[in-house]
Amino acid sequence: MTTYETSASPATGASPATGAPPATGAPLRSRTHTWQPRPEMTPEILGMSGLEILRASLKGELPGASMMSTLGFRLTEAAEGVAVFEGDPGDHLLNPMGTVHGGFLATLLDSALGSSVMTLLPAGTAYTTVQLGVHMIRPVMADTPTLRCEGTALHVGRTTATAEARVTGTHDGKLYAHATTTCAILRMG
């Protein structure tokens, strides 16, 4: 869960984060999020396939990755070879030029790419990203509506996997970014 608050500037007028006075005179804002920590890797969890883990997260039986609440995105679908996330841009994600930082899109893409690979992994197997190629197509603004990111596994072998993903606007269907990945497959235990 993420909440936003707007509060008055401190009496000194200085930013608590930097000690500098606010540049615009606008009140400072704060963002708070909460998350449930991941459980320990119990034999029960180690006995689940990647798809079973993601589906358990969708049902609320396992917590989602804490990164999702930090940046404001969520897993919405998981099927064999496919994972879909949705993310909400906002002014907390802006870069110095006033657009949403590319790291938000890269993280959304990396999550969908890796999770699409994860859906095809058997129990006792994990993955890690070893290469990520991202292409930003159009800028994302603070007020851009929800973005959808669909990842599709292309190849999942014994030691490596590849996948591709696309970020599109739920409001306009336009392509905002696309990416590919190579993942290493890890045998646990």
Side-chain angles (χ1 to χ4, degrees):
M1 174 170 67
T2 302
T3 58
Y4 296 90
E5 299 174 9
T6 301
S7 59
S9 299
T12 64
S15 163
T18 65
T24 63
L28 296 177
R29 296 175 57 159
S30 66
R31 182 171 185 269
T32 305
H33 68 96
T34 58
W35 67 95
Q36 185 177 17
R38 299 290 293 181
E40 292 183 30
M41 295 306 281
T42 63
E44 179 182 74
I45 293 173
L46 288 172
M48 297 171 73
S49 71
L51 183 57
E52 290 170 332
I53 290 170
L54 291 174
R55 285 184 172 164
S57 292
L58 280 168
K59 292 178 187 174
E61 297 166 357
L62 287 175
S66 56
M67 174 61 79
M68 294 189 302
S69 69
T70 301
L71 291 183
F73 67 95
R74 63 212 156 271
L75 175 67
T76 59
E77 298 174 39
E80 285 190 20
V82 177
V84 179
F85 288 80
E86 289 188 353
D88 301 308
D91 66 356
H92 64 288
L93 298 170
L94 296 181
N95 62 28
M97 293 174 37
T99 60
V100 170
H101 193 282
F104 173 72
L105 289 172
T107 303
L108 192 59
L109 286 157
D110 188 42
S111 298
L113 290 161
S115 293
S116 70
V117 167
M118 184 176 172
T119 65
L120 298 175
L121 296 180
T125 309
Y127 72 92
T128 189
T129 301
V130 295
Q131 180 274 332
L132 177 65
V134 177
H135 300 272
M136 310 292 183
I137 304 302
R138 61 178 28 89
V140 176
M141 309 309 283
D143 62 353
T144 299
T146 300
L147 297 171
R148 174 186 167 89
C149 184
E150 182 170 336
T152 304
L154 300 174
H155 164 79
V156 178
R158 204 173 59 77
T159 58
T160 61
T162 60
E164 62 185 8
R166 299 167 50 97
V167 175
T168 55
T170 59
H171 62 293
D172 60 9
K174 291 182 179 177
L175 180 66
Y176 283 78
H178 60 95
T180 58
T181 193
T182 301
C183 296
I185 305 302
L186 311 170
R187 307 292 171 197
M188 308 298 281

